[in-house]
Amino acid sequence: MRTYSRIIGTGSYLPEKRLTNAELAAELAQQGVETSDDWIVERTGIRARHFAAENQGSSDMATEAARQALTAAGITPDDLDLIIVATSTPDMVFPSVATMVQHKLGTAGCPAFDVQAVCSGFIYALTVADAMIQSGSAKRALVIGAEVFSRILDFTDRTTCVLFGDGAGAVVLEASETTGILATDLHADGKYKDILCVPGHVNRGAILGDPVLKMDGPAVFKLAVGVLEETARACLLKANLTAADIDWLIPHQANIRIMQSTVKKLKMSADKLVVTVDQHGNTSAASIPLALDASVRSGKIKRGDTLMLEGVGGGFTWGAVLLNY
Ligand code: UT7
């Protein structure tokens, strides 16, 4: 009998501060940076984003999302035997956000670690958790995507600062004989590191290099539309399914045009696309679990639905997870 990793609870957290495009544009204008609601909506589909408070870190938001997911799953933190956090914006260089979340949840003992694959981070983390569950080394895993990209944005660069937001999303996975994750597919190609990166690092007490996000948007756009189709098809092939079997496509929420192009390339109907980028902006590793939780809570996604989750981001990294919810 095959062991599946089944999602038994989801949760999410968005910081209180919400900025519409018009509000962000007005703030940027004060610094001489010109943008507009029209440009942002037309080129990205983004209408608003949330920004964390000064004293809020990824671990705080991750813990809030985790609490919701644990409640939805009907289990306590002590029932967990694995915690993985996907993030590129940890509270500190080390220790990991995952160990901080573990402590904030009031538990100890189980393995806890971070996965860093930028916007593909949640797909990577889910795949690692699934492998550990299938191998028998974990039975109940908490998998979180949490980011404070507002801390690494250059608010004088209009080509990037209007795109990102903060937040966290979480799922609890449980080993089950009932169907759950059906197939996973991961990839990376380090030759693209310069098209999306934060090149700065800590060196002997100082920051060396630029500690803000740099992106060649058009280059990332072009790569993203290609790999998102490829990884979805590879995942479907592994599960012996076709795109017609997918009830909901939840791609990384970066740009509505990339998402619409993916749905079109997969010859799926546009109403199967889950969209939260309009309200959240690009929250990197948090975007997929945020979109998943919003759709579960709104009743859009129901038990038994087949979901294709897929991510793409810095590295370059990309991948997909196909599952029965
Ligand atoms: O999370 C990881 C994955 N990331 C992504 O998937 C992002 C992928 N890339 C994109 O989503 C798009 O490339 C962007 C949204 C970043 C940019 O859209 P684009 O259609 O590729 O625009 P562009 O970079 O070609 O810029 C078009 C114009 C330029 O002006 P000129 O040269 O045509 O006069 C930019 O200077 O838009 C200008 N522009 C802006 N104008 C107003 C760039 N940013 C802004 C802005 N407001 N915020």
Side-chain angles (χ1 to χ4, degrees):
M1 179 76 74
R2 176 175 169 182
T3 301
Y4 289 96
S5 311
R6 182 171 168 75
I7 295 177
I8 59 164
T10 67
S12 61
Y13 177 82
L14 287 164
E16 235 169 77
K17 184 177 175 186
R18 178 179 181 272
L19 276 182
T20 62
N21 290 344
E23 288 165 339
L24 179 62
E27 279 191 13
L28 292 174
Q30 287 174 7
Q31 300 160 46
V33 176
E34 204 185 309
T35 187
S36 66
D37 177 49
D38 283 352
W39 189 93
I40 302 169
V41 172
E42 190 193 309
R43 300 293 178 122
T44 72
I46 297 167
R47 293 180 184 275
R49 77 286 292 137
H50 292 249
F51 285 151
E54 273 309 309
N55 60 353
Q56 245 178 347
S58 286
S59 73
D60 300 308
M61 297 192 295
T63 304
E64 292 302 323
R67 286 199 179 107
Q68 265 196 11
L70 288 164
T71 302
I75 66 166
T76 71
D78 289 340
D79 295 324
L80 295 168
D81 51 20
L82 174 65
I83 300 173
I84 307 180
V85 176
T87 188
S88 299
T89 47
D91 297 28
M92 302 179 186
V93 173
F94 69 79
S96 68
V97 172
T99 56
M100 293 180 191
V101 170
Q102 183 189 49
H103 184 63
K104 286 178 182 179
L105 289 174
T107 188
C110 77
F113 59 91
D114 289 359
V115 161
Q116 208 268 53
V118 204
C119 303
S120 313
F122 186 73
I123 297 296
Y124 268 66
L126 212 49
T127 302
V128 172
D130 176 47
M132 290 179 74
I133 285 174
Q134 285 199 51
S135 74
S137 61
K139 282 200 162 54
R140 280 171 173 165
L142 174 63
V143 184
I144 307 171
E147 303 278 17
V148 274
F149 261 51
S150 60
R151 303 262 157 82
I152 52 166
L153 294 178
D154 174 358
F155 283 96
T156 65
D157 175 9
R158 68 177 184 169
T159 68
T160 54
C161 72
V162 300
L163 306 175
F164 295 89
D166 302 336
V171 300
V172 177
L173 292 178
E174 185 175 60
S176 169
E177 287 177 5
T178 310
T179 158
I181 292 180
L182 301 170
T184 62
D185 187 60
L186 293 183
H187 299 276
D189 188 343
K191 78 168 166 282
Y192 296 111
K193 83 170 170 44
D194 294 330
I195 64 171
L196 178 51
C197 60
V198 177
H201 65 278
V202 179
N203 183 305
R204 296 170 193 268
I207 293 170
L208 282 194
D210 218 345
V212 289
L213 186 143
K214 310 276 178 197
M215 179 168 74
D216 178 345
V220 171
F221 191 108
K222 211 170 137 202
L223 265 171
V225 291
V227 298
L228 286 172
E229 182 196 3
E230 275 170 34
T231 191
R233 290 201 184 283
C235 218
L236 285 165
L237 200 65
K238 289 180 191 178
N240 213 9
L241 294 178
T242 71
D245 297 307
I246 300 171
D247 294 304
W248 296 106
L249 178 70
I250 312 184
H252 169 46
Q253 308 279 318
N255 186 319
I256 191 73
R257 292 186 292 137
I258 296 176
M259 294 158 62
Q260 284 166 344
S261 148
T262 305
V263 100
K264 212 164 152 189
K265 280 169 171 249
L266 293 172
K267 300 193 171 50
M268 288 174 62
S269 136
D271 57 12
K272 293 190 169 182
L273 181 65
V274 170
V275 178
T276 49
V277 69
D278 56 333
Q279 295 305 316
H280 302 168
N282 180 347
T283 57
S284 187
S287 92
I288 295 169
L290 269 165
L292 173 64
D293 184 55
S295 309
V296 166
R297 283 173 197 273
S298 72
K300 184 185 259 190
I301 290 178
K302 297 189 174 54
R303 281 282 166 209
D305 282 355
T306 300
L307 315 182
M308 172 69 80
L309 317 181
E310 49 173 359
V312 57
F316 229 58
T317 57
W318 65 98
V321 173
L322 182 66
L323 63 97
N324 278 335
Y325 176 68

